[in-house]
Amino acid sequence: MKKSKKRKERRKKEELSYLRFKTWELMDEARYASMRRKTDLAIDSLLRAIKINPEFLEARLFLSSLYINKQEYNEALKFLLRAKQIDPECRELYYRLGFAYTHLKMFKEALGSYHSLLSLLKGRGLNKDDRDLKEEVKEEISTLEFFLEQEKKEKKVVMFQPIQGKPSPLPEKKEGKLEKKGKPEISLKSLLTQLKISKRFTFKKDSALLEKLEQEDYEPFRLYQIRMRGSEISLLKGFDRLLCLDQIKETRKFWYQIETVKKTLRNFRGRVLLCDEVGLGKTIEAGMILKEYLIRGLVKKVLVLVPPSLVIQWKDEMTSKFNIKFVTTDDKYCQEEKEKFWKKNDLVIASLNMAKSRGNFQIITRIDYDMVIVDEAHHLKNRNTLNWKFVNSLKKKFILLLTATPVHNNLMELYNLITLLKPGQLKTPSSFRRSFVLRGDSRIPINREKLRELLSEVMIRNTRSLANINLPKRYATTMKIRLDEDERIFYETLSNFVREGYLSHRLDKFSATLLQMEAGSSPFAVRSTLFKIRERKESSFQAIDEIEEILHSFEIQNCQKAEKLMEILSKGSEKIIVFTNYLETQKFLADKLNQAGIEYSLFNGRLSIREKEASIDSFQKKARVLISTEIGGEGKNLHFCNTMVNYDLPWNPMRIEQRIGRLHRIGQTRDVFIFNLCSEGTVEDYILDILDKKINMFELVLGEMEMILGNLDDSRDFSGIVMDIWTKAQDREGRREEFEKLGEGLLQAKKRYLQIKSYDEEILQHDYEL
């Protein structure tokens, strides 16, 4: 009995979830029909949505807008009055009521609606749009009051005529005065100026409309109609031409990405599982979809959920490529004011782990989001996990799920992902098993054609063969450098200081890790950080003394790594990019090149856009070397160069991948050569050893390293794992053993990834390409 009751409750919840989704799906159908000017189809979809949910406020408001555009004001009023009962504080509602009443010559009711709207706009803390709207409403009221006063004087309405009738002629000029039985002389230009039409409904982009207005004898009330239609202007182009393409910078847009975005917007209505093979740019596709919706005003509040290690990377990409300014859960005030953080910020990138935590779950699931994006969505494959339940509980109109490997172990994982996108698409779990899963083996599909048909309505999977990506070979060489005595003493002294400070918590984790990374680059990079630590008020006298000792322990004579770089440069004349993480190291290398008479160009984050362009241009035309502290000008055309030197190495393998990707990418016609420099006995020496020997990182397809790390049985960031090993091991032998274990873990993660990849290729094949 209990099981039966629970089953009924679960079915009821599933039905409610499906109905909720269905109403929004009908709403989306109406939007697309409206964009194509198929008003009757849009109205039909909205009426069906209201039949399912009579309290669906947004549908009633949309219906009122469509009827107003059809000049059927009584019909519009019917839906607006019911909407008023549902939400008496909806501002948009009162604006439209005033508009409809005005056209029905119910001027007192129109005034009442505008006054109600004005009362809702009282108080402090209004944003700019609210303040603009408030001013508009005041002038609407002023205009109506003026004409009502005239009506009283003349004992008849002289301002408006029924919409079906012939427009009243404009009043004759009579030295700027009103005729006794006529209307006030108000030119169209002066009306446009008086009404201060908001930026949301600007005419600047439609000069033809302005000319039409100037030429024809439009009555003042038609301005209301134009204003109501203004909100739809940006939608009239439909999704056949993307508006976002001109606004995306520093990235190359490929044909399959553009077509994927169009199909998602046009056919899938913003709910899609993006399953492109690794390295084809799912993040770019998601960013383009989001940008398009933002431009068109269809999306405002957005939540992006990613693994912890990708939070900053997502923020950087959204800012640099799409000019979308997100805040992240790494921001300090997120921890201080949780509820305010989630409700106040419209664009948030968060780690899935933090978002689903006890302190955030209830807050976030009460918020209405326009769009939710989940990267590495295979973490949602089990509907019994908190990950799946959390994303399923989110209120969202649009949702993008990104994963190159949607199926890991069995077909039910795919069912669970699709249910998040479109509840009911694959019916119930038991029905899905009966129809599409081989009895006794949940990994094997049956009725493939029918399954393909259903999945193709919510899934896109582009393959490398479709994209026609054939990259040249790449060759990586690791050069180990023996430190001279002074360099070795400096490195060991600094490492001891970091270890003691890290374990005793005298140094915070960030500062300790940064110092150890800088030590692998150059002593110059270390010095600026040591100066900052020394100046902190909380630094103890002991720490200050130790810092002073380190600063005086190394007098620069020779730098063996720099000498190796000069040796590489001396063996040829080809152009070379030299990557380093730190500005001080960049300055040091620039001095070395100056002394050697080698022409170079600098690229770093402190340069302006114009300076960055000039730097790349100089490198292409005359300089032989580019010394870069960033990824190397993301999106810049660097195909004229095919050789790079990693002077120092990031501890995050994905950052190494990004560097390689600047040269080994579509458009490169020559083989690519990579030189990795590392000093013996340093952290970088151990990292390169396990990445190169254990998993052959430099032979992987761009993007596969991220998939391998995702299968690693450790939730910590890779650099955090490395730092813990380096500081907690008792001696060199202990470090070697711990790094060996990490290497074995990476090897197992790579094997798991390859098994999953093979299974996905077998199940999905080429069935879901464009």
Side-chain angles (χ1 to χ4, degrees):
M1 290 295 291
K2 288 183 178 179
K3 286 185 178 179
S4 177
K5 187 175 181 181
K6 286 183 179 179
R7 195 179 298 115
K8 287 180 180 178
E9 289 176 354
R10 187 168 66 250
R11 284 178 183 170
K12 188 174 181 181
K13 285 182 180 178
E14 287 178 354
E15 286 175 6
L16 288 173
S17 176
Y18 174 71
L19 289 175
R20 185 167 58 247
F21 169 79
K22 186 64 179 177
T23 55
W24 279 108
E25 186 181 50
L26 290 168
M27 182 77 164
D28 290 338
E29 285 181 5
R31 284 198 184 100
Y32 290 103
S34 177
M35 279 187 269
R36 292 175 173 80
R37 301 185 184 182
K38 296 180 179 179
T39 305
D40 290 338
L41 282 176
I43 289 173
D44 180 63
S45 296
L46 291 169
L47 289 173
R48 285 158 57 201
I50 288 175
K51 189 173 182 180
I52 295 172
N53 179 13
E55 305 296 306
F56 196 178
L57 177 68
E58 290 83 358
R60 290 185 178 276
L61 289 174
F62 198 174
L63 269 169
S64 70
S65 176
L66 294 174
Y67 278 118
I68 284 172
N69 288 339
K70 290 182 70 177
Q71 301 175 4
E72 296 178 14
Y73 302 107
N74 279 315
E75 285 297 314
L77 193 60
K78 180 174 70 175
F79 290 102
L80 287 169
L81 291 174
R82 180 67 182 93
K84 186 178 178 181
Q85 293 176 342
I86 297 170
D87 184 2
E89 295 188 358
C90 177
R91 297 175 183 179
E92 186 179 358
L93 160 72
Y94 289 101
Y95 193 92
R96 296 187 185 195
L97 269 174
F99 180 73
Y101 278 133
T102 299
H103 281 76
L104 292 169
K105 300 192 291 184
M106 300 168 69
F107 307 127
K108 290 181 181 179
E109 290 81 355
L111 266 178
S113 297
Y114 286 133
H115 279 298
S116 296
L117 177 53
L118 204 58
S119 66
L120 291 174
L121 293 169
K122 283 183 179 178
R124 299 178 181 178
L126 296 177
N127 59 34
K128 187 177 184 302
D129 283 344
D130 287 340
R131 292 195 297 272
D132 288 345
L133 180 59
K134 189 174 181 179
E135 291 303 312
E136 287 180 41
V137 171
K138 284 181 179 179
E139 296 196 9
E140 304 287 1
I141 290 172
S142 176
T143 304
L144 278 173
E145 286 177 342
F146 173 81
F147 285 109
L148 277 172
E149 186 64 29
Q150 290 299 119
E151 183 186 66
K152 286 180 183 178
K153 290 180 181 179
E154 303 298 331
K155 296 183 180 179
K156 65 176 181 177
V157 178
V158 294
M159 178 181 176
F160 297 91
Q161 296 287 343
I163 190 77
Q164 293 84 357
K166 187 178 177 182
S168 302
L170 289 171
E172 297 178 5
K173 281 192 175 182
K174 201 166 185 180
E175 298 180 359
K177 297 180 182 179
L178 292 173
E179 286 188 311
K180 288 183 179 181
K181 296 186 180 181
K183 296 181 288 186
E185 184 202 337
I186 302 177
S187 73
L188 194 56
K189 279 188 176 179
S190 66
L191 270 170
L192 286 170
T193 303
Q194 287 175 29
L195 292 174
K196 294 182 180 177
I197 292 174
S198 133
K199 291 180 181 177
R200 292 169 298 164
F201 310 124
T202 180
F203 295 102
K204 289 182 180 178
K205 294 182 181 178
D206 199 339
S207 56
L209 178 58
L210 271 176
E211 290 175 9
K212 185 177 180 182
L213 287 171
E214 291 296 331
Q215 291 169 5
E216 297 185 19
D217 292 337
Y218 275 68
E219 287 193 325
F221 77 84
R222 288 190 181 269
L223 292 177
Y224 287 90
Q225 189 176 20
I226 293 165
R227 183 176 298 164
M228 289 300 299
R229 296 199 62 180
S231 61
E232 305 294 330
I233 286 176
S234 64
L235 303 177
L236 294 179
K237 294 175 181 177
F239 291 119
D240 294 325
R241 186 176 74 82
L242 298 181
L243 306 179
C244 68
L245 297 180
D246 295 335
Q247 298 189 32
I248 299 172
K249 56 185 179 180
E250 297 190 353
T251 188
R252 183 176 174 184
K253 300 170 283 290
F254 297 103
W255 71 268
Y256 66 87
Q257 293 174 331
I258 294 172
E259 291 306 313
T260 294
V261 174
K262 286 182 178 178
K263 189 172 183 180
T264 299
L265 300 170
R266 198 169 48 212
N267 300 351
F268 296 167
R269 302 188 179 98
R271 286 176 170 257
V272 67
L273 183 59
L274 296 175
C275 300
D276 291 2
E277 284 186 330
V278 169
L280 295 185
K282 292 182 292 295
T283 307
I284 300 300
E285 291 168 356
M288 290 169 69
I289 293 166
L290 172 58
K291 187 70 175 179
E292 190 71 21
Y293 274 131
L294 287 169
I295 291 172
R296 294 173 180 269
L298 296 174
V299 161
K300 181 181 179 184
K301 200 163 186 68
V302 181
L303 176 64
V304 179
L305 299 170
V306 302
S309 60
L310 297 180
V311 170
I312 298 302
Q313 182 179 321
W314 261 84
K315 181 180 180 181
D316 291 344
E317 290 211 16
M318 290 300 106
T319 302
S320 63
K321 296 175 181 176
F322 301 98
N323 194 29
I324 305 175
K325 306 292 176 61
F326 278 90
V327 298
T328 76
T329 47
D330 290 346
D331 297 337
K332 290 182 180 179
Y333 61 89
C334 170
Q335 303 299 323
E336 297 168 358
E337 303 175 7
K338 284 184 179 178
E339 188 159 0
K340 184 177 179 182
F341 172 84
W342 296 108
K343 290 183 177 179
K344 177 184 176 183
N345 294 295
D346 287 334
L347 302 172
V348 178
I349 297 173
S351 72
L352 180 57
N353 290 342
M354 177 175 282
K356 72 179 183 184
S357 64
R358 182 177 297 179
N360 293 318
F361 191 108
Q362 295 300 328
I363 299 171
I364 299 173
T365 52
R366 287 197 298 264
I367 297 172
D368 290 308
Y369 285 102
D370 296 311
M371 177 175 283
V372 171
I373 301 173
V374 185
D375 196 10
E376 302 301 325
H378 45 266
H379 294 302
L380 310 176
K381 63 183 183 290
N382 187 342
R383 68 185 295 139
N384 296 317
T385 62
L386 189 58
N387 283 348
W388 191 93
K389 292 175 182 177
F390 171 69
V391 174
N392 189 51
S393 300
L394 292 172
K395 298 176 182 178
K396 64 258 180 201
K397 277 192 257 181
F398 308 118
I399 177 170
L400 312 178
L401 300 182
L402 284 58
T403 175
T405 53
V407 192
H408 283 198
N409 303 300
N410 60 71
L411 290 169
M412 292 310 298
E413 296 170 346
L414 188 58
Y415 172 87
N416 294 335
L417 289 177
I418 300 304
T419 300
L420 287 174
L421 287 170
K422 197 171 182 181
Q425 176 71 6
L426 302 177
K427 299 186 178 179
T428 64
S430 56
S431 172
F432 178 77
R433 285 192 187 94
R434 285 195 305 271
S435 302
F436 302 112
V437 181
L438 181 67
R439 180 173 293 183
D441 193 341
S442 59
R443 291 173 56 85
I444 301 176
I446 57 176
N447 296 331
R448 287 192 71 123
E449 188 58 34
K450 180 62 177 176
L451 180 61
R452 188 201 67 78
E453 182 183 330
L454 291 171
L455 292 179
S456 63
E457 295 176 10
V458 286
M459 180 194 294
I460 299 176
R461 177 179 172 83
N462 296 313
T463 63
R464 302 181 78 80
S465 58
L466 170 78
N468 195 26
I469 295 177
N470 296 305
L471 295 177
K473 294 180 180 179
R474 70 183 186 209
Y475 302 90
T477 303
T478 296
M479 297 180 155
K480 293 193 178 184
I481 298 142
R482 186 182 295 276
L483 296 172
D484 65 22
E485 188 63 17
D486 286 341
E487 289 179 300
R488 186 184 61 78
I489 292 172
F490 175 82
Y491 191 85
E492 288 181 357
T493 304
L494 181 72
S495 294
N496 289 333
F497 171 73
V498 169
R499 185 183 304 109
E500 291 171 8
Y502 185 80
L503 296 176
S504 66
H505 303 293
R506 284 189 295 144
L507 274 178
D508 63 88
K509 188 174 181 179
F510 174 80
S511 297
T513 305
L514 178 62
L515 274 174
Q516 196 65 60
M517 286 179 175
E518 290 171 335
S521 179
S522 75
F524 306 101
V526 169
R527 284 179 174 174
S528 61
T529 303
L530 286 174
F531 287 143
K532 290 175 184 176
I533 294 173
R534 187 180 63 180
E535 297 304 318
R536 290 177 188 168
K537 292 180 180 179
E538 64 268 22
S539 297
S540 65
F541 289 112
Q542 181 185 351
I544 292 173
D545 289 342
E546 289 174 352
I547 290 170
E548 292 294 341
E549 182 183 345
I550 295 168
L551 290 171
H552 290 94
S553 69
F554 185 65
E555 293 297 330
I556 300 298
Q557 298 296 330
N558 289 312
C559 181
Q560 296 304 311
K561 197 192 286 189
E563 294 302 319
K564 179 59 72 173
L565 173 63
M566 301 309 295
E567 182 184 324
I568 293 170
L569 293 175
S570 68
K571 291 183 177 178
S573 58
E574 70 281 353
K575 291 183 181 291
I576 294 178
I577 299 177
V578 179
F579 285 106
T580 175
N581 283 323
Y582 307 104
L583 278 172
E584 295 302 322
T585 303
Q586 185 188 53
K587 291 176 184 176
F588 165 65
L589 293 178
D591 289 340
K592 293 287 290 184
L593 293 180
N594 268 329
Q595 293 168 18
I598 298 174
E599 195 163 2
Y600 64 88
S601 187
L602 299 179
F603 192 99
N604 60 62
R606 295 188 179 181
L607 300 178
S608 67
I609 294 176
R610 184 174 295 179
E611 288 170 332
K612 287 179 179 179
E613 294 285 353
S615 175
I616 299 298
D617 186 61
S618 171
F619 178 46
Q620 182 172 9
K621 292 179 179 176
K622 54 181 182 178
R624 187 186 162 204
V625 179
L626 177 72
I627 312 175
S628 175
T629 62
E630 288 188 345
I631 301 171
E634 183 69 28
K636 308 299 180 188
N637 184 358
L638 300 174
H639 304 147
F640 55 85
C641 176
N642 72 325
T643 306
M644 60 176 281
V645 175
N646 284 313
Y647 187 81
D648 50 37
L649 280 160
W651 288 9
N652 183 344
M654 288 185 287
R655 290 280 307 282
I656 302 174
E657 266 199 343
Q658 286 174 325
R659 287 180 174 184
I660 295 170
R662 297 312 309 125
L663 301 185
H664 196 243
R665 61 185 300 173
I666 299 172
Q668 180 62 263
T669 57
R670 297 176 293 168
D671 291 343
V672 172
F673 297 91
I674 304 155
F675 296 92
N676 302 309
L677 306 185
C678 71
S679 302
E680 290 181 355
T682 62
V683 176
E684 292 73 24
D685 187 10
Y686 288 98
I687 292 175
L688 268 174
D689 195 53
I690 60 174
L691 292 180
D692 197 3
K693 292 182 180 178
K694 287 289 184 183
I695 60 173
N696 306 112
M697 174 185 169
F698 298 100
E699 297 176 16
L700 296 174
V701 172
L702 191 67
E704 286 191 317
M705 190 66 228
E706 182 179 330
M707 303 302 299
I708 292 171
L709 291 178
N711 281 284
L712 188 63
D713 292 329
D714 199 314
S715 59
R716 291 174 294 171
D717 182 77
F718 192 80
S719 62
I721 299 172
V722 168
M723 191 63 179
D724 284 344
I725 293 174
W726 182 256
T727 54
K728 293 176 182 178
Q730 298 299 316
D731 51 29
R732 288 186 180 181
E733 185 61 26
R735 283 178 187 161
R736 188 190 65 76
E737 289 178 2
E738 290 301 317
F739 274 109
E740 184 69 20
K741 288 179 184 177
L742 176 58
E744 285 299 320
L746 285 170
L747 184 58
Q748 293 304 313
K750 180 180 179 181
K751 288 179 179 177
R752 281 196 294 273
Y753 160 65
L754 292 176
Q755 289 171 353
I756 293 166
K757 177 184 175 185
S758 175
Y759 180 46
D760 276 288
E761 288 174 350
E762 179 186 344
I763 295 297
L764 302 177
Q765 299 180 5
H766 295 273
D767 289 344
Y768 308 99
E769 294 177 337
L770 294 171

